[in-house]
């Protein structure tokens, strides 16, 4: 059974830092692109960070560039999101996504989400 389990969320003051982890199991982790998404109440779920399985290239939403860093450890089947200089606008549920292109479309898995709250 496929699982993506996020951890590391919580309450942090503006300007603080958190590191989210996503532990994967049940599929070939190294064959999948990994992404972090976030969704605030009443908002669309938006991608904030992405890392390709092909060459390790990364992409970030403009709102988090220079503050967030995505990384992965294939030996541990884990992807991370280091979040620095956090702002109240970063408050959201953060989701881990695994994605692989295949014949007929894409195969994607989602984690359950972890809450990040930035408040003084």
């Amino acid at each position: 059974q496929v699982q993506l389990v996020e951890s590391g969320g919580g309450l942090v003051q503006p300007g603080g830092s958190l590191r989210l982890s996503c532990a994967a199991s049940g599929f070939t982790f190294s064959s999948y692109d990994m992404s972090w998404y976030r969704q605030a109440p009443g908002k669309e779920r938006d991608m904030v960070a992405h890392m390709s399985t092909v060459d390790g290239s990364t992409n970030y939403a403009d709102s988090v560039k220079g503050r967030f860093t995505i990384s992965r450890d294939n030996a541990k089947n884990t992807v991370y999101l280091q979040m620095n200089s956090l702002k109240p606008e970063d408050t959201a549920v953060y989701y881990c996504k695994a994605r692989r292109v295949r014949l007929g479309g894409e195969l994607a898995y989602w984690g359950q989400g972890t809450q990040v709250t930035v408040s003084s």
Side-chain angles (χ1 to χ4, degrees):
Q1 52 273 26
V2 170
Q3 281 193 301
L4 293 171
V5 181
E6 299 98 333
S7 62
L11 175 65
V12 64
Q13 294 186 99
S17 297
L18 285 173
R19 188 178 75 159
L20 306 183
S21 298
C22 173
S25 60
F27 64 98
T28 305
F29 179 80
S30 61
S31 298
Y32 285 72
D33 293 347
M34 300 299 298
S35 299
W36 288 94
Y37 285 70
R38 68 185 182 188
Q39 186 169 25
K43 304 286 188 177
E44 294 287 317
R45 185 178 295 188
D46 295 323
M47 184 176 68
V48 296
H50 174 268
M51 175 170 278
S52 173
T53 189
V54 177
D55 58 5
S57 62
T58 58
N59 188 51
Y60 299 92
D62 287 343
S63 59
V64 307
K65 283 181 179 177
R67 300 188 297 119
F68 290 12
T69 303
I70 187 172
S71 61
R72 66 191 294 168
D73 187 338
N74 287 343
K76 295 181 178 179
N77 285 1
T78 301
V79 62
Y80 305 94
L81 185 67
Q82 179 66 46
M83 305 185 294
N84 299 325
S85 301
L86 284 162
K87 305 174 180 180
E89 305 94 279
D90 297 319
T91 296
V93 177
Y94 284 71
Y95 298 89
C96 176
K97 179 188 178 183
R99 179 252 195 184
R100 184 183 185 183
V101 176
R102 62 176 185 177
L103 269 182
E106 73 170 26
L107 183 64
Y109 304 116
W110 291 88
Q112 84 289 349
T114 185
Q115 177 71 46
V116 172
T117 302
V118 185
S119 176
S120 59

